[in-house]
Amino acid sequence: MADTQLALTKYFQGTEPFNGLGLEEVRSSYKWKLPKTSFNGEQVVTSGTNFEENVRLKLFLNKIWNEEEWSRRKIVGWIISDWGGIRSNKQSTLEKYYKESLQENPKTPLTGIASFSKVLAIKDPLKYAIYDARVAVGLNAIQMILAVTSGEIFPYLSGRNKITGDWSAKSPRGFSKSKEASITTLTYPPYNWKKIPRSDAYERYLELLQLISKNLDVPLYELEMTLFSQAEELAIRAVPSLGTKIN
């Protein structure tokens, strides 16, 4: 098993040095606020843990996507803006994502992938997963924590989290802007990791998750939710100095 896949597998299993993290932990600690109403104006019914509620909504939307083609355009906008919290996209951009999502093999350039992957993850949550700023940080931090010898560097995306990476601050800060976790640092000794081209990053990410999903017999979307939820803790474990900058 390649180093990157092995590192991710150990992380999802919550084995040393990832004690207190992984799939079992996230099922009780996952937090992402759900909108009060769905894309169709109906109230979002909540019962169970936040993890269970988010999974239930994802699978419900996937069901609607498959059964009601006329609802897809509205789902695209709602998934990105309301549930995803990304409100900066123009209507023309949302329309582009909608049309591309209808293709059998959608194009997935890294530009805009944080938004577009949210749509794909509803179209087929067992095939596609969200790739955003937090996920990218998690992928690299996991490998740093385990000190793999043949790592793969995933490209960072802009974010506003002061731990995983705040690119909007006057002095950009956080993991993805730190010297310790920079692509330059990770491509040179003592790391010498392979830099994944931006054009290949999403496909490689999916490839890894699909392999691990099969090996661990867990849905692919649970792996992505774990990476997203625990990105801050992973960043701090990889670059401990970030833990002093939480406040």
Side-chain angles (χ1 to χ4, degrees):
M1 185 182 294
D3 280 4
T4 301
Q5 184 183 341
L6 177 61
L8 291 175
T9 300
K10 284 180 173 290
Y11 158 66
F12 288 123
Q13 292 176 320
T15 58
E16 180 69 30
F18 301 106
N19 309 71
L21 295 173
L23 283 161
E24 287 303 316
E25 173 63 25
V26 82
R27 292 189 175 107
S28 60
S29 63
Y30 188 84
K31 293 181 181 179
W32 184 256
K33 187 177 181 180
L34 296 173
K36 293 182 179 180
T37 57
S38 186
F39 74 96
N40 54 9
E42 295 183 3
Q43 183 178 359
V44 174
V45 179
T46 57
S47 61
T49 66
N50 188 249
F51 181 87
E52 293 169 340
E53 292 169 355
N54 274 272
V55 168
R56 187 180 298 113
L57 182 55
K58 181 186 291 284
L59 297 182
F60 166 74
L61 291 169
N62 170 251
K63 181 174 181 290
I64 298 299
W65 182 278
N66 290 322
E67 295 179 354
E68 301 179 7
E69 293 184 9
W70 61 89
S71 295
R72 292 175 179 175
R73 182 179 273 106
K74 186 174 290 187
I75 289 174
V76 168
W78 186 84
I79 282 294
I80 295 173
S81 302
D82 293 83
W83 195 10
I86 302 177
R87 306 183 189 280
S88 57
N89 288 292
K90 297 179 180 179
Q91 189 57 45
S92 58
T93 302
L94 294 176
E95 181 67 14
K96 180 184 71 174
Y97 292 151
Y98 162 70
K99 291 181 178 178
E100 190 61 35
S101 71
L102 303 181
Q103 302 302 313
E104 183 176 352
N105 295 300
K107 297 177 182 178
T108 54
L110 210 62
T111 301
I113 199 63
S115 293
F116 187 44
S117 62
K118 289 176 171 57
V119 178
L120 295 179
I122 293 302
K123 175 182 178 178
D124 189 344
L126 298 179
K127 180 179 179 180
Y128 298 104
I130 297 171
Y131 184 98
D132 60 12
R134 292 170 66 100
V135 166
V137 164
L139 293 169
N140 290 339
I142 288 167
Q143 298 177 83
M144 289 178 67
I145 293 168
L146 200 60
V148 301
T149 56
S150 299
E152 299 175 58
I153 310 167
F154 285 84
Y156 297 117
L157 300 180
S158 63
R160 295 186 178 184
N161 183 291
K162 56 189 175 183
I163 300 300
T164 57
D166 184 354
W167 295 27
S168 62
K170 291 183 179 179
S171 296
R173 55 183 176 172
F175 183 91
S176 60
K177 285 295 183 179
S178 69
K179 181 179 179 180
E180 298 95 321
S182 71
I183 291 177
T184 298
T185 296
L186 297 177
T187 50
Y188 284 90
Y191 293 98
N192 296 311
W193 291 359
K194 174 185 176 183
K195 177 182 176 182
I196 300 177
R198 291 177 63 86
S199 58
D200 300 335
Y202 187 65
E203 289 186 4
R204 176 55 179 158
Y205 164 62
L206 291 183
E207 180 184 27
L208 284 166
L209 290 198
Q210 287 161 2
L211 287 169
I212 296 169
S213 172
K214 181 178 180 180
N215 290 339
L216 298 184
D217 193 27
V218 296
L220 184 140
Y221 54 79
E222 290 194 8
L223 301 180
E224 174 261 305
M225 291 173 71
T226 306
L227 284 167
F228 173 85
S229 178
Q230 298 173 353
E232 289 185 11
E233 177 61 24
L234 287 167
I236 291 171
R237 292 196 187 190
V239 182
S241 61
L242 293 174
T244 65
K245 303 174 183 179
I246 294 179
N247 297 319

